[in-house]
Structure formats: structure tokens, C-alpha cells
Amino acid sequence: MAFMTTIKPASDLAARAVVAARTEALFRASGALRGGHFLLKSGRHADAYLEKFAVLSNPAATSELCGYVAARVRGDGDGPPLVDLVAGPTTGGVILAFETARQLGVRSIFAEEVRDDDGRTRREFRRGFRIEPGERVLLVDDILTTGGSLLAMLPAVEAMGGKIVQCAVLVDRSDGRSTLTSPTSDRTYPLHALWQLDLPTYEPGPATCPRCADGTPLHTPGSSGTGPPVDAPPVPHG
């Protein structure tokens, strides 16, 4: 029995390393890893950035990546999947939720960012989307940096009575976070990433950010050009 419990984790780690290497290869082949000077949603600066839509605009690559996510909740053999629906935040999460749900044969919905009268933002399921009490939910997103988008989705799912089975992202830039904790209920949910990538970020200003110091123009990804592809060495995968 001890032999079996030793082999299974080892084979799982090997499989994860293969998936991570393939995910990295798809991002690099698409030119998604960009170099320059970027303002991130967190307010921090970076000299490299993952332009997720360079990958998500490729249906074959997106389908393959969503297949890896779906495999973790597909269930054993020919049995039903372990989730009843897949949900993601706008914008990239909409594509991932749809394709992952399509492969699993379940529903797909998405949550949008809304601003309350006091100026605070939150995620809300609109457009008639519903989660029935007790429905099992897989949350998906593209790039995890601070986790803000997925964290904001947790209360929205909980408010409808959904049961979050797992949170999944394509790339984790958060230094290996393995769980997400709801800001309203304090419940903790497992988080899985296909690929973990360490790209340093900096506080704005010439004293802390190298690109601020050398005067490289600052870009906001999604609203301006994002620089040339980075010819960086492959990331080790265990």
C-alpha cells in the first residue's frame, strides 16, 4: 500500500511538469511573453508581461489549454464531470469558461465588474445568469498575479449558494499560491495553475523600478502596444 501511495504522487508531479512545459511552449509560440515597461492592474510596474490574448486568439491553443483544466474535474472513466458549471471573470475568463465547459458538457457563465455607489467594485453575475443552490462550480481565469479577479468572484458564487470545487488559472505569477480565501466568508478553496512563472514586479518610481530609472515609456497592457517578444530561457518544471 505504501508503494502505491508513493508512485501516484510521483506520476502526478510528472504529468503536471509536462502540462507546464506545454503551456509555456504555447505562450512562447504565440509571442505572448513581451518585454518593455508595463503598468499592471495592481499598480506595480513590470519589465515583462504576458499578453494573454496572443494565446486566446488561437482557437487550437485555447482548446488544448482548456483541455488540461477540464481534465482535473472530468471524473473517472465515463462518469459525469465533478462540476455542474464553469464560471470566469471578464474578459479572458469568458473564453476559458466557455471552452472548458464545452469540453465538459456543462454550462458556462461569467461575472462582470460593477461599481457600487460608494465607488467600490465587485463581481456580479448579470444577463440572467444563475447558480442554483448546491451546484458545483469550477472557476477559471487566465493570469493570476494578485488574484483580484478570482477573489472578487468568490462572494458572487457564494451569494447564489454555489459550491466552488476548484479555481484554475493558465499561469500563476503569484509565487505559487495554492488556495484562495473568500473575502466575505473566509472559506478557502483550492487553486491550480497549469504553469507557474516568476516575473518580478516593482513599485513605481526610479528608485525601485529599473524601467522608470532608464526612462522606458510606460504602457498599460490592453490599451497600448506591449513591446517585442522576450527571448527568455525556459522555466524549469520540477
Side-chain angles (χ1 to χ4, degrees), residues 79-106:
L82 305 179
V83 298
D84 300 304
L85 65 92
V86 184
T90 51
T91 53
V94 178
I95 299 172
L96 297 173
F98 173 83
E99 176 58 20
T100 303
R102 186 193 69 80
Q103 295 191 31
L104 290 170
V106 299

Side-chain angles (χ1 to χ4, degrees), residues 16 19 68-69 72 139 166-172 177-179 189-196:
R16 291 190 185 195
V19 170
Y68 298 138
V69 174
R72 296 187 62 84
L139 293 185
Q166 186 180 115
C167 305
V169 295
L170 301 185
V171 185
D172 176 17
R177 182 184 296 193
S178 61
T179 60
Y189 303 101
L191 172 68
H192 171 70
L194 299 186
W195 176 32
Q196 289 189 2

Side-chain angles (χ1 to χ4, degrees), residues 203-220:
E203 287 294 330
T208 51
C209 173
R211 298 290 76 81
C212 286
D214 64 21
T216 301
L218 181 66
H219 297 291
T220 301

Side-chain angles (χ1 to χ4, degrees), residues 8 12-13 27 35 50 59 78-79 97-98 123 139 145 147 165 181 189 195 199 205-206 225 227 234:
K8 186 172 181 180
D12 186 54
L13 286 174
F27 269 80
L50 282 174
D78 297 327
F98 173 83
R123 291 279 171 175
L139 293 185
T145 303
V165 174
T181 301
Y189 303 101
W195 176 32
L199 292 178

Side-chain angles (χ1 to χ4, degrees), residues 41-63:
K41 288 182 67 176
S42 63
R44 295 175 67 85
H45 288 192
D47 51 17
Y49 179 77
L50 282 174
E51 180 45 78
K52 59 195 177 189
F53 285 107
V55 177
L56 298 183
S57 63
N58 182 330
T62 301
S63 180

Side-chain angles (χ1 to χ4, degrees), residues 4-227:
M4 292 298 294
T5 56
T6 301
I7 291 298
K8 186 172 181 180
S11 62
D12 186 54
L13 286 174
R16 291 190 185 195
V18 170
V19 170
R22 180 58 180 163
T23 302
E24 178 182 354
L26 290 171
F27 269 80
R28 288 182 180 275
S30 70
L33 185 56
R34 301 275 165 167
H37 186 194
F38 307 107
L39 174 62
L40 306 178
K41 288 182 67 176
S42 63
R44 295 175 67 85
H45 288 192
D47 51 17
Y49 179 77
L50 282 174
E51 180 45 78
K52 59 195 177 189
F53 285 107
V55 177
L56 298 183
S57 63
N58 182 330
T62 301
S63 180
E64 182 176 346
L65 292 169
C66 289
Y68 298 138
V69 174
R72 296 187 62 84
V73 294
R74 194 175 297 281
D76 296 329
D78 297 327
L82 305 179
V83 298
D84 300 304
L85 65 92
V86 184
T90 51
T91 53
V94 178
I95 299 172
L96 297 173
F98 173 83
E99 176 58 20
T100 303
R102 186 193 69 80
Q103 295 191 31
L104 290 170
V106 299
R107 291 163 44 226
S108 163
I109 62 176
F110 58 86
E112 300 168 72
E113 188 174 76
V114 297
R115 188 177 298 275
D116 292 329
D117 293 339
D118 60 6
R120 296 181 181 180
T121 60
R122 57 186 173 84
R123 291 279 171 175
E124 182 179 276
F125 292 106
R126 314 181 94 180
R127 307 173 193 275
F129 291 143
R130 289 196 54 78
I131 300 175
E132 299 301 327
E135 280 196 303
R136 300 164 301 171
V137 182
L138 169 64
L139 293 185
V140 298
D141 202 5
D142 38 53
I143 314 297
L144 182 80
T145 303
T146 63
S149 295
L150 282 179
L151 285 171
M153 287 196 65
L154 300 180
V157 176
E158 292 171 339
M160 288 187 168
K163 179 182 178 182
I164 300 170
V165 174
Q166 186 180 115
C167 305
V169 295
L170 301 185
V171 185
D172 176 17
R173 292 190 52 195
S174 72
D175 196 26
R177 182 184 296 193
S178 61
T179 60
L180 291 176
T181 301
S182 170
T184 55
S185 71
D186 286 332
R187 294 174 185 157
T188 298
Y189 303 101
L191 172 68
H192 171 70
L194 299 186
W195 176 32
Q196 289 189 2
L197 176 64
D198 181 19
L199 292 178
T201 62
Y202 311 95
E203 287 294 330
T208 51
C209 173
R211 298 290 76 81
C212 286
D214 64 21
T216 301
L218 181 66
H219 297 291
T220 301
S223 64
S224 59
T226 54

